[in-house]
Amino acid sequence: MSYKLIQIRLPFALHWSRIATCPTSNILVPHHTPQKLQFNNSQCYYHHVSTSQPLIPPTASSIRLNITSTRRSNQKVTFASLETKHDNRRFIAPIESFQKDNDPLSQDISHVLHKTDLGSMTPKQITHAKSIVYTLSNLRTFQAAQIAEEILERLIAEGADGGNSHVKLEAKLYNTIIDAYGKSGTDNGVDRAEALVERMRERSRVFVDLDTNEGVEFMTGPDLFTYNSLLNAWSRSKREDAVTKAEKIVDFLESNNSETVKPNSITYNIMMNTYANQVGEYGYAQKAEDLLLHMTSLQKDGYEAIHPDTTSFNIVLKAWKNSGGGVESAKRAEEILRLMVKLYVDGHDDLKPDNVSFRTVIHAYMKHGENGKLSSDIVDRIQDIGDLVTNGEIDFSDNPHIISEVTGEVLKCLAKSGVADAGKRAKSVFEKLNQSRGTTISEGLNATNHENAYVSTVIALLSDQKTADLGHEMMHDILEGKSSILPRTYTLNRILHFYCQNQNFPAAQDTYRAMLRLSKKQGFETVPDIATYNMMANLCFQTNDEDSSFLALSILNEMEEEYKSGLLSKMSDFVYDMVIHKLTKSKLPISQGNAHDVLMRMIKGYDNGALEREPGTILFNMVLSSIMNQPVENKAEKAFELLQLMHERVKSGKSKSHPDTRTYSHLLAILTKDRKLHDSKTIFGVIQMIEDEENERRVFLFDNIVFETALYGLSDDQYGDGALADKVLKKMFFLRKNDHKLVNPNSMVMNLAIKAQLSGHRSTASCKILFDAHRYLMNIVSMYEKDESKVLPTRVGFNTVLAHWEKTHHLKSPGMAEEIYKTMKRLSVNGAVDVSPNSFTNNLMMRIFARDRKIKSTLKAVNFFKSIKEEQLDIHSYNCMLRILAGSRMNDKVDMANNLLLDMESRKLVDVASYNAVLSACNLSNSNNKQRLLDLAIETYRRLKVVTNPNELSFILIIRAWKKLSND
């Protein structure tokens, strides 16, 4: 038989080795991330991708190859997994599904169900059909259980309808299917299991042979295993009625009259586990404990089938761990654990606490920290639990690993606790461990030969400033090979995780570089794996240092090299995500440019099967954003190429990453800033592209962001285009008129459109642009007042035009400004929102009136100032008026400025600029009474020092006044 080439996925950093339980020979598996497994006739070999030669592993360990089958989409699919025990831990590593050519099991199923006449099955065929049921049930999937049930029904029909006397259906056949449904992990599974039990009850009867008139029993009724299997199904179920259903089954078993179908220890253990699975419910933990006491009572009454053991107590511990009783629940779990210890010491060997017992209680306490940190009281209690395995009260000679494993859990707790003296506590835990072994601390650490405990100690020491030096020393011993703990990937990843979690970028970088250095010396023992790259990429993303951009890129390069050399079976799409995020957010143009290159590499990796996930639209958008910020000339061309690539990949079926609103917004922003492609044809080509895609995909891609982005670019002082902005605005109104749900012209786009009309206006020479913009604004107002439009610009739009009239020396500037000002007042009175003149508007008007500094113009500005309501006057308006007076030709400007300053002082609306304006008026005055001017300047400067600190201009002005106005 031959199988297709398949891929293996195994837990990283395990010592994988020779497989003894293979078809006839073995599989050679190295202890790093594996590559490919090939089944060829009766022999199996593990091949390295680059050399195609078997790799002989350095260590041996028991590993079993499991091959199972199920049906998917009417096809028979075979699954394989590798099961191993390493350091007393059991791992099951799934292998990617593969389909076997001409699958015999699929053919056998088809033969039983569709190609065998009713009543014609031979005893051998019946036995084979039953074996198929057992095979499918062992898959523990809902689909496989369904097929197994179909075959069961076929066997029932063979006996009942076909009259085949060879059919004997024992309860075990039903039970295995019921158990498979229960373990399938689906909601439908438990319903099918319950229905099957009910049918089993109905069918457990004697059929009468019409020829002989004799009874032939070929179907048995439910037995205890049947009900326990159904009970287990409800125990695993997450349905709200799971507990009620399970309790009814137990009540039935306790109340029925059959001696053979009475609850046993397994029944009660399953019921207690049902309670334990109800996470966050305090009352269920108490129910589990009460049921344990009930079991103890039944045992005392002589029920031999009832025998509480370590498993029973462990389930109750689990119930208290999962309950919602807070720390008190953990304390209750600890009390039960201590009771187990006492009962064991008193001679109850079947109640000896095991690894699960201690670790369950430790985890119960660890759940109750704040922000991931534990209180000193909780840590004390966890350490006390650790003392139970090291004080010698319990004999662990049959399983000495429990001591190091529980100690490892305590040390993990210390490493994560956040208590100030974590390092000191870690040393104390190991001192107690070593005392139980009779060794020194350093020898004891090596003697335990348990890397989890060792690494947890290192982390705990590093987390405590007082013991950090010892932690670094132990870390150095690992890297230099001076410790019995090998510097394996898993070991170093745990320490790397600690550094990353604490944002210790230099230490994490040093550890990562050490892994690379060791991997070159020692081979795949310390080769960084997916977890390593993920942690480092994430840390680089969170670090603000610009050098982290280059490190992120080097991490990606190293991961790709490792994949090419065959040391990684897959690459991490998360690393690509983080690197692109990092590069696009960098302020360095070279990093932003690299983001595009990384995206292209990610696309290539996905297409070649090296990545599980394709780059999404968000990543494309981020790269587009980085292109927009790059100081390069061909940014528009690169943006168009990226958009075209997205379209081509979607069209060819390689991708589902469609361009979205932000994609087109970035593209439009780039186009509006690119002189080469900055024209209505190009920009409207993009808008038409959006519209076409909307119609094709039946999604909304146009929204205000798209148009605002285009208008922002078109209103730029350097690249603005008023005519094109008007076209964009009209397109927006057209879509709104046609009921586009996401397009709604608002005041912001009106402001931008007005600003775009003023692009290129610099001086009097370009007044035509200003007059056109003025008319454009008045036309918008006219349409609003005629009810032809419901949108107006805000005062920002009006002030934008006013500001340009203020910059020009055109004779019509005052009149045009007055028209705008009166329009704003009129609209405000009629209820328009955000159009009333503000302080900036008033200042612009005063500066426009006094532009030529003539007395008549200044008086007009003064009168305008006096017309402003007092409550609308702010310090900016006062200062504007003061500066106008200071620069005017009026003879009494100094007195007017001084009186205005006095008014400002009374209203406490004054700053250093106010006094400087009066000082300037004194300097610029043409009055012959210089002494009076000097006295006023000195007095103004004195008042300035009382109110605030003079600035550099204040000193210059007072010195200038002294020189100009003094008679000396």
Side-chain angles (χ1 to χ4, degrees):
M1 61 181 181
S2 63
Y3 287 86
K4 294 180 180 179
L5 196 66
I6 62 171
Q7 295 280 336
I8 311 177
R9 300 181 180 283
L10 298 178
F12 60 83
L14 293 176
H15 290 280
W16 300 103
S17 62
R18 187 179 300 274
I19 298 179
T21 56
C22 205
T24 59
S25 182
N26 56 43
I27 300 178
L28 299 180
V29 183
H31 55 306
H32 71 283
T33 307
Q35 302 303 318
K36 296 182 179 179
L37 183 69
Q38 187 171 11
F39 294 83
N40 184 15
N41 299 327
S42 61
Q43 292 187 349
C44 302
Y45 291 97
Y46 182 90
H47 291 281
H48 192 277
V49 169
S50 60
T51 64
S52 297
Q53 296 297 323
L55 292 178
I56 301 176
T59 59
S61 173
S62 173
I63 302 179
R64 185 176 65 189
L65 176 67
N66 300 319
I67 299 179
T68 51
S69 302
T70 188
R71 180 182 297 276
R72 284 188 178 177
S73 302
N74 296 323
Q75 290 185 336
K76 200 64 182 181
V77 180
T78 306
F79 292 90
S81 66
L82 291 176
E83 183 177 339
T84 184
K85 278 194 174 182
H86 175 69
D87 291 342
N88 274 350
R89 291 175 293 172
R90 180 169 175 265
F91 296 91
I92 296 180
I95 301 175
E96 284 186 3
S97 65
F98 63 95
Q99 186 172 353
K100 179 181 168 185
D101 298 332
N102 302 319
D103 186 352
L105 181 59
S106 178
Q107 294 177 3
D108 289 347
I109 292 172
S110 177
H111 185 78
V112 171
L113 294 177
H114 309 297
K115 298 179 181 180
T116 305
D117 294 334
L118 193 64
S120 66
M121 295 179 71
T122 65
K124 185 177 181 179
Q125 289 175 321
I126 292 171
T127 302
H128 184 59
K130 291 180 181 180
S131 69
I132 295 174
V133 171
Y134 292 128
T135 299
L136 291 170
S137 298
N138 286 335
L139 293 177
R140 298 178 180 178
T141 66
F142 182 79
Q143 294 85 352
Q146 280 185 305
I147 299 172
E149 187 179 352
E150 287 183 41
I151 297 174
L152 174 64
E153 294 295 329
R154 175 62 181 84
L155 290 173
I156 292 172
E158 182 73 15
D161 301 330
N164 194 329
S165 60
H166 298 295
V167 178
K168 304 292 183 184
L169 301 182
E170 58 275 9
K172 182 181 178 181
L173 202 63
Y174 275 92
N175 295 344
T176 188
I177 301 174
I178 294 169
D179 189 56
Y181 276 130
K183 294 176 180 177
S184 67
T186 63
D187 290 337
N188 292 336
V190 67
D191 290 329
R192 296 292 292 261
E194 191 171 49
L196 197 54
V197 172
E198 187 60 34
R199 290 206 303 275
M200 193 177 179
R201 285 179 185 151
E202 295 173 356
R203 290 168 171 172
S204 59
R205 56 190 176 84
V206 177
F207 284 85
V208 178
D209 190 323
L210 298 179
D211 295 332
T212 62
N213 204 30
E214 295 179 356
V216 180
E217 183 176 337
F218 74 97
M219 285 185 289
T220 60
D223 57 12
L224 182 57
F225 190 91
T226 308
Y227 290 107
N228 282 349
S229 296
L230 180 59
L231 186 63
N232 189 49
W234 282 113
S235 177
R236 290 168 173 264
S237 174
K238 296 181 180 180
R239 288 191 5 195
E240 294 181 359
D241 58 342
V243 173
T244 304
K245 291 282 190 178
E247 286 176 337
K248 287 182 179 180
I249 295 172
V250 175
D251 291 342
F252 168 76
L253 293 174
E254 287 180 334
S255 62
N256 84 87
N257 298 323
S258 173
E259 291 295 329
T260 59
V261 189
K262 286 290 185 182
N264 59 7
S265 292
I266 295 175
T267 308
Y268 288 116
N269 283 349
I270 296 172
M271 188 65 239
M272 288 190 296
N273 195 50
T274 307
Y275 292 137
N277 288 337
Q278 310 308 308
V279 179
E281 299 290 342
Y282 181 84
Y284 287 124
Q286 188 60 56
K287 280 190 172 186
E289 185 175 336
D290 292 343
L291 194 53
L292 178 63
L293 293 175
H294 179 59
M295 290 178 68
T296 305
S297 177
L298 291 174
Q299 184 184 24
K300 289 180 179 179
D301 292 341
Y303 286 87
E304 296 181 358
I306 310 298
H307 187 77
D309 56 8
T310 299
T311 300
S312 306
F313 275 81
N314 284 350
I315 292 171
V316 176
L317 293 177
K318 173 186 172 184
W320 281 113
K321 183 198 77 165
N322 290 341
S323 73
V327 178
E328 294 304 316
S329 294
K331 290 180 179 179
R332 181 55 187 158
E334 182 183 353
E335 291 173 2
I336 296 171
L337 175 63
R338 292 185 180 277
L339 175 63
M340 292 177 70
V341 174
K342 181 179 182 304
L343 291 172
Y344 168 73
V345 173
D346 291 344
H348 297 276
D349 292 342
D350 52 351
L351 297 178
K352 179 181 178 180
D354 60 9
N355 187 19
V356 175
S357 311
F358 292 103
R359 293 174 70 174
T360 300
V361 180
I362 290 172
H363 291 166
Y365 276 119
M366 290 182 69
K367 288 174 57 180
H368 302 295
E370 293 184 5
N371 299 322
K373 308 298 182 182
L374 300 175
S375 67
S376 295
D377 178 61
I378 289 178
V379 175
D380 288 339
R381 289 181 173 274
I382 292 174
Q383 284 188 248
D384 290 343
I385 294 168
D387 292 343
L388 293 175
V389 300
T390 58
N391 60 17
E393 195 172 3
I394 305 175
D395 180 15
F396 289 115
S397 59
D398 59 334
N399 192 0
H401 291 288
I402 288 181
I403 298 175
S404 58
E405 288 177 358
V406 175
T407 302
E409 287 298 317
V410 175
L411 288 167
K412 282 183 182 179
C413 159
L414 288 170
K416 298 178 181 179
S417 64
V419 294
D421 56 345
K424 181 180 178 181
R425 288 173 181 264
K427 290 171 62 178
S428 173
V429 169
F430 261 101
E431 287 288 356
K432 292 178 181 179
L433 172 64
N434 296 323
Q435 289 170 7
S436 70
R437 292 172 175 265
T439 61
T440 64
I441 182 167
S442 59
E443 292 172 349
L445 287 172
N446 293 337
T448 59
N449 197 26
H450 194 285
E451 66 181 275
N452 278 337
Y454 191 96
V455 175
S456 296
T457 305
V458 173
I459 294 173
L461 293 171
L462 291 172
S463 65
D464 186 348
Q465 291 184 351
K466 297 178 181 178
T467 58
D469 290 341
L470 178 58
H472 287 298
E473 183 180 340
M474 294 172 66
M475 173 69 175
H476 183 265
D477 288 344
I478 297 176
L479 296 176
E480 295 299 322
K482 297 179 181 180
S483 165
S484 63
I485 304 302
L486 297 175
R488 299 191 299 112
T489 304
Y490 174 71
T491 305
L492 298 179
N493 272 352
R494 283 195 60 197
I495 297 174
L496 183 63
H497 179 263
F498 168 77
Y499 286 137
C500 292
Q501 203 171 36
N502 289 275
Q503 296 289 296
N504 191 338
F505 184 72
Q509 188 174 359
D510 289 344
T511 304
Y512 172 70
R513 292 302 176 197
M515 293 178 72
L516 293 176
R517 189 168 56 252
L518 286 169
S519 66
K520 294 178 181 179
K521 293 180 180 180
Q522 302 180 15
F524 41 67
E525 274 284 346
T526 54
V527 171
D529 61 7
I530 293 298
T532 312
Y533 293 118
N534 284 349
M535 286 187 287
M536 286 303 298
N538 187 51
L539 180 63
C540 289
F541 173 70
Q542 296 178 5
T543 304
N544 294 325
D545 186 1
E546 280 297 340
D547 289 340
S548 60
S549 298
F550 298 105
L551 178 61
L553 193 58
S554 69
I555 289 169
L556 176 64
N557 293 337
E558 285 148 6
M559 181 182 73
E560 290 180 338
E561 285 300 318
E562 191 173 325
Y563 173 77
K564 290 176 183 177
S565 65
L567 296 176
L568 282 178
S569 62
K570 288 282 186 180
M571 292 192 292
S572 171
D573 44 59
F574 177 80
V575 174
Y576 282 93
D577 285 354
M578 290 297 100
V579 172
I580 291 174
H581 274 70
K582 183 67 180 179
L583 295 176
T584 54
K585 292 182 180 297
S586 173
K587 296 178 181 179
L588 300 175
I590 187 173
S591 295
Q592 294 180 351
N594 287 332
H596 181 272
D597 177 56
V598 173
L599 179 64
M600 295 300 103
R601 286 154 61 180
M602 186 178 185
I603 292 171
K604 183 178 179 181
Y606 174 74
D607 291 345
N608 293 337
L611 292 170
E612 295 285 352
R613 180 171 56 81
E614 64 171 317
T617 303
I618 292 176
L619 289 183
F620 278 94
N621 291 345
M622 295 189 73
V623 173
L624 275 171
S625 177
S626 70
I627 292 174
M628 180 172 61
N629 297 324
Q630 291 174 34
V632 294
E633 295 183 356
N634 63 336
K635 61 175 69 177
E637 295 175 9
K638 291 180 70 174
F640 265 119
E641 288 174 2
L642 209 55
L643 180 66
Q644 185 178 1
L645 177 62
M646 293 180 74
H647 282 301
E648 289 175 354
R649 290 182 59 79
V650 170
K651 189 175 182 180
S652 65
K654 293 181 179 180
S655 173
K656 295 181 180 178
S657 299
H658 291 273
D660 63 5
T661 298
R662 191 164 292 277
T663 310
Y664 289 110
S665 296
H666 289 324
L667 179 61
L668 286 168
I670 293 170
L671 289 176
T672 53
K673 293 183 179 181
D674 192 313
R675 275 295 182 187
K676 293 181 180 179
L677 297 173
H678 183 78
D679 55 48
S680 59
K681 184 178 179 181
T682 306
I683 292 178
F684 268 88
V686 174
I687 291 177
Q688 187 60 49
M689 190 187 305
I690 301 173
E691 191 169 7
D692 291 343
E693 191 164 352
E694 274 196 343
N695 296 331
E696 182 181 347
R697 291 171 53 196
R698 297 185 180 276
V699 295
F700 289 111
L701 292 175
F702 275 126
D703 66 359
N704 278 21
I705 296 176
V706 172
F707 290 99
E708 287 169 12
T709 303
L711 288 170
Y712 266 119
L714 294 171
S715 63
D716 186 89
D717 290 337
Q718 184 178 0
Y719 301 113
D721 189 324
L724 186 53
D726 184 50
K727 289 183 179 180
V728 172
L729 185 64
K730 288 178 179 177
K731 182 67 175 180
M732 198 174 183
F733 276 98
F734 173 79
L735 291 172
R736 182 58 184 173
K737 186 177 180 180
N738 287 275
D739 296 326
H740 196 292
K741 294 182 179 179
L742 300 182
V743 176
N744 185 23
N746 55 26
S747 298
M748 178 184 291
V749 298
M750 302 299 286
N751 292 341
L752 292 171
I754 291 170
K755 184 182 177 184
Q757 305 306 312
L758 292 161
S759 299
H761 176 247
R762 296 288 184 274
S763 63
T764 308
S766 55
C767 279
K768 181 179 183 304
I769 295 175
L770 179 55
F771 277 98
D772 289 342
H774 186 98
R775 282 192 293 271
Y776 189 83
L777 174 62
M778 291 299 106
N779 285 337
I780 292 174
V781 172
S782 175
M783 291 175 65
Y784 176 83
E785 291 182 327
K786 292 178 181 179
D787 206 22
E788 295 176 4
S789 170
K790 296 183 179 180
V791 186
L792 275 175
T794 64
R795 64 177 63 89
V796 173
F798 289 92
N799 287 345
T800 299
V801 181
L802 276 176
H804 280 263
W805 281 120
E806 190 265 335
K807 291 177 183 178
T808 187
H809 295 279
H810 200 283
L811 293 175
K812 291 187 177 181
S813 293
M816 304 300 281
E818 280 189 286
E819 182 183 8
I820 293 175
Y821 187 81
K822 290 178 181 178
T823 300
M824 294 174 72
K825 297 275 286 185
R826 182 177 72 251
L827 290 171
S828 177
V829 170
N830 292 333
V833 180
D834 294 332
V835 294
S836 60
N838 61 1
S839 174
F840 183 61
T841 314
N842 295 331
N843 296 348
L844 287 171
M845 292 298 296
M846 288 186 287
R847 289 200 296 268
I848 290 171
F849 288 144
R851 183 73 181 178
D852 58 4
R853 298 185 180 183
K854 294 180 180 179
I855 295 176
K856 183 177 179 181
S857 301
T858 304
L859 286 174
K860 192 169 185 179
V862 171
N863 292 332
F864 180 85
F865 176 80
K866 291 179 179 179
S867 70
I868 303 172
K869 294 181 180 179
E870 186 174 327
E871 62 270 15
Q872 294 178 347
L873 289 173
D874 59 10
I875 191 170
H876 302 295
S877 300
Y878 276 109
N879 284 345
C880 180
M881 191 67 251
L882 284 172
R883 285 191 292 271
I884 289 173
L885 289 171
S888 73
R889 301 173 185 174
M890 296 179 66
N891 294 329
D892 58 345
K893 67 179 180 181
V894 175
D895 292 331
M896 293 179 67
N898 186 49
N899 291 334
L900 193 60
L901 181 62
L902 292 171
D903 184 36
M904 293 172 68
E905 288 176 334
S906 66
R907 296 187 62 192
K908 296 181 179 181
L909 292 175
V910 65
D911 61 9
V912 65
S914 311
Y915 293 97
N916 287 347
V918 177
L919 289 172
S920 182
C922 293
N923 275 289
L924 297 174
S925 175
N926 294 323
S927 174
N928 294 325
N929 193 348
K930 295 183 178 180
Q931 185 61 44
R932 181 173 175 275
L933 292 175
L934 178 60
D935 292 341
L936 182 59
I938 294 172
E939 173 64 17
T940 302
Y941 188 77
R942 183 192 66 78
R943 285 152 57 192
L944 166 61
K945 292 195 295 183
V946 172
V947 175
T948 184
N949 294 323
N951 60 16
E952 184 178 355
L953 180 61
S954 308
F955 290 117
I956 293 172
L957 290 171
I958 190 62
I959 291 172
R960 184 179 296 168
W962 186 270
K963 288 182 177 181
K964 181 179 180 180
L965 303 175
S966 174
N967 293 322
D968 296 338

